[in-house]
Amino acid sequence: MLFLSSLENLIHQEDSSSVKELLQTTLQWFSKNQVALQANKQIFTFLERYVDRSAWGRLDSLSLVVGMLAECWQISEELQESIQKTFPVEVLRLLELVVSLCEIRPLESYNETQVVNHLAEHIRKLVYVLATDFRSLFIVLVIRVVRLPLNKEILDKNRLKVEARECIEIYASLAERFGLANVKTYLEDKSFGILYPEEYNDIAKYKRLFAKEHTSFLDEIKQEVTQLISNAGIQDFEVKARIKHNYSIYLKSIRYQVSYEKLYDILGMRCILEKEDDIYVVLGLLHHKYRFVEDRFKDYITYPKANGYRSLHSFLYAQSGMGFEIQIRTKEMDYESEYGTASHWSYKTVNNSSFTSVESPFWVQELTENLVAAKDATEIFTLFKKEIFSEFVYAFTPKGKLIKLALGSTVLDFSYAIHSDIGKCTTGAMINGQYKSIRTVLQNGDQIEVLVSKQQKPNANWLLFVKTSRAKSKIKAFLRSENRDIAIREGRAIFQKILIELQIALHTAESSQQMVRLLDDVHCADKEILYQQIAYGRISNKTILRYFDETYAAFPSPKKLFKFKRPNQEQESLIHNVKPLSVNDILELDNMPVRFAQCCKPNKNDTIMGIIGQSRDIVIHVTNCAHVSELQSNKTMIPLTWNDESTNFSLRVNLEVVSLKSASNILKLLEIRGITLKKAVLVQEKKIIKQEIYLLIIDSKVWHSIVEKLNKMKAVIDISITEDIMDS
């Protein structure tokens, strides 16, 4: 078997003793399990192609072994047990991650909703795996390259199409992100053929039809360019001609809405040079000889792509009028464009003898956090594509350090990229010597000196213009923390104000049994959460008073004063047009505010009826009140009866106010809120008006809301309850 010979060669080339031992173990395991492996007819074809294509993912020896074992893992449980007994734990951990991404799950049908949900779930799993050990990505990419054409023979049509969607929408995108041009192109074309066979065949037919014309043109241009470079005295170079791959042609046709015959940039040349200094010399020669399109020139050497790709791109027209794209780069750049930039996978520098897991890039960790909050499959795709295809802008610190940010980033994004402590204090920046605001969008090559102030703090408006996920997450984290602290302070202040009126010290209240009961009843774990809830208005002043104000606590709850009852025959005729209330309706109404009608002023001995008012409260009327007959046609009416256990309160309230008008306003307030006024005495002493008011209190909630309002009125000098008499 050829792949075993490849393993033997690797053993001789490997320097690390531990990796040599792993390769020896792998060789012995495959030799021992040849018969069991044959249960899968494709396994040896896969293994040979996998070893051959391993360079596409720049796999080290450990990753090569894990990928081979991942394919064998699928064959049988016996082989799984054998792998677990033979290989070290560190290898098995990486193997588990890779296997989780290679599982083939059947789908009932190729339904778009099902497929999108499946792909979204696969992205979640993939990002988790990458965050755990980044090497798994490059192993899986090579596995997908080898497996996709083989799966055409074993998978049903629906599952094969899902596999192709995974490759073209997820793995080809990741390959592009890391500069693996061979992997990207291969996965796209193979998947394209599976998903859109008619379009694929049309493009193949078009390329065959024009093959002679295209080849002749490229040969002519290649000869001209070669002669041009040679005449300039440049040595050790290579010129290659190419035609864009099928999926690329398809996308261009869709983007420009034209037929394949009318696409003008599917032909290309590539100049590969030894020295970087010669690149711009060759560019000048080509622009002098051929007509070039100015807005199609791209300098990816000065400003590399997000995946580290470096090259010059220009679009030229030959004298015949046919256009072609030219790429100019060094041998090193060309190698990186095909096999990725070495710096992208840090595991190459890890001592493989330790089989240490490799930390993922920052953007993977960031994407992991963002996906947790994603609400649906569509948002998962959006987040994934946004991260994978984000373009970059390059800016410099005053000391010349290069900072790479997403295109459209602002001064604030730049400062957060340096450090979050700098970001939150940023007030502006000096860009190329000129002052600019934190909102300023950066351009390639900008030199930026961040300006900070200790008084500066992030605010919610910053989220409207920052671009990078890092800046957004840091700002949100600060706002959550800051808002929590502010809410605690405000809630504590409200709580303390109530206590001051009750002449209770804050520290006394916080350590009291009343506080313990309050926290338990309102389901707050501690005082800080309680204060937050108070600040947010979720715990009212009245609730606090019930625990700390003995006078307030003495009032019975309003729902004990009266209860709902089924209507008798007389009442049935009165409310014959009213929609009957269900049990749930009644329970809901039980929590509604209650006030007593001033027109009939119900007493305990009266038969009463409730009407739902415009402000969504229950207005209590005497049943034979004239207004009840007037309102019954368009109001919801509720038969009520007094609770025999309830008690009314007759209070004498002494007020001192600044004017007669203020005294009149207070009486109007009592009337509006449904408080029954039994008697009022008014006395004027010099510039102070003294009011003595006798009230019938039935709804303690309403009364305490009035007291709260009176306490806030500037016109009220003093208020006191001088008598508390139970009224029979």
Side-chain angles (χ1 to χ4, degrees), residues 336 668 702:
E336 289 174 354
K668 286 181 181 178
V702 173

Side-chain angles (χ1 to χ4, degrees), residues 171-314:
Y171 289 102
S173 301
L174 283 167
E176 182 176 11
R177 182 71 160 84
F178 290 96
L180 299 173
N182 281 347
V183 176
K184 170 187 177 291
T185 302
Y186 187 89
L187 289 177
E188 284 182 341
D189 269 7
K190 291 296 181 183
S191 301
F192 177 47
I194 293 170
L195 295 169
Y196 306 101
E198 290 185 15
E199 290 83 348
Y200 183 90
N201 291 331
D202 286 344
I203 293 174
K205 182 180 178 181
Y206 157 72
K207 290 171 77 171
R208 287 195 302 270
L209 186 63
F210 288 90
K212 186 175 180 180
E213 182 180 345
H214 290 160
T215 302
S216 175
F217 173 76
L218 290 173
D219 286 345
E220 180 184 342
I221 296 298
K222 180 179 179 181
Q223 186 176 351
E224 289 179 2
V225 172
T226 301
Q227 189 65 44
L228 193 66
I229 297 174
S230 182
N231 290 344
I234 297 173
Q235 299 177 349
D236 198 5
F237 68 91
E238 183 181 6
V239 179
K240 295 181 179 179
R242 67 186 181 89
I243 301 177
K244 289 188 181 293
H245 63 286
N246 291 8
Y247 188 60
S248 176
I249 294 173
Y250 172 73
L251 290 180
K252 284 183 178 293
S253 174
I254 296 297
R255 185 180 302 124
Y256 299 125
Q257 294 293 303
V258 296
S259 62
Y260 307 130
E261 295 83 357
K262 294 181 180 179
L263 288 173
Y264 56 87
D265 59 347
I266 65 171
L267 305 178
M269 305 294 296
R270 183 176 297 162
C271 300
I272 303 169
L273 310 167
E274 185 66 30
K275 299 177 182 178
E276 188 170 331
D277 292 343
D278 292 334
I279 291 176
Y280 292 93
V281 174
V282 171
L283 177 68
L285 294 171
L286 292 169
H287 279 191
H288 181 72
K289 181 175 179 60
Y290 302 103
R291 180 167 59 90
F292 69 94
V293 180
E294 190 170 347
D295 61 357
R296 292 289 299 275
F297 171 69
K298 303 291 183 183
D299 186 349
Y300 294 121
I301 295 177
T302 305
Y303 307 113
K305 284 188 175 183
N307 58 14
Y309 173 86
R310 295 180 296 159
S311 181
L312 288 187
H313 288 198
S314 189

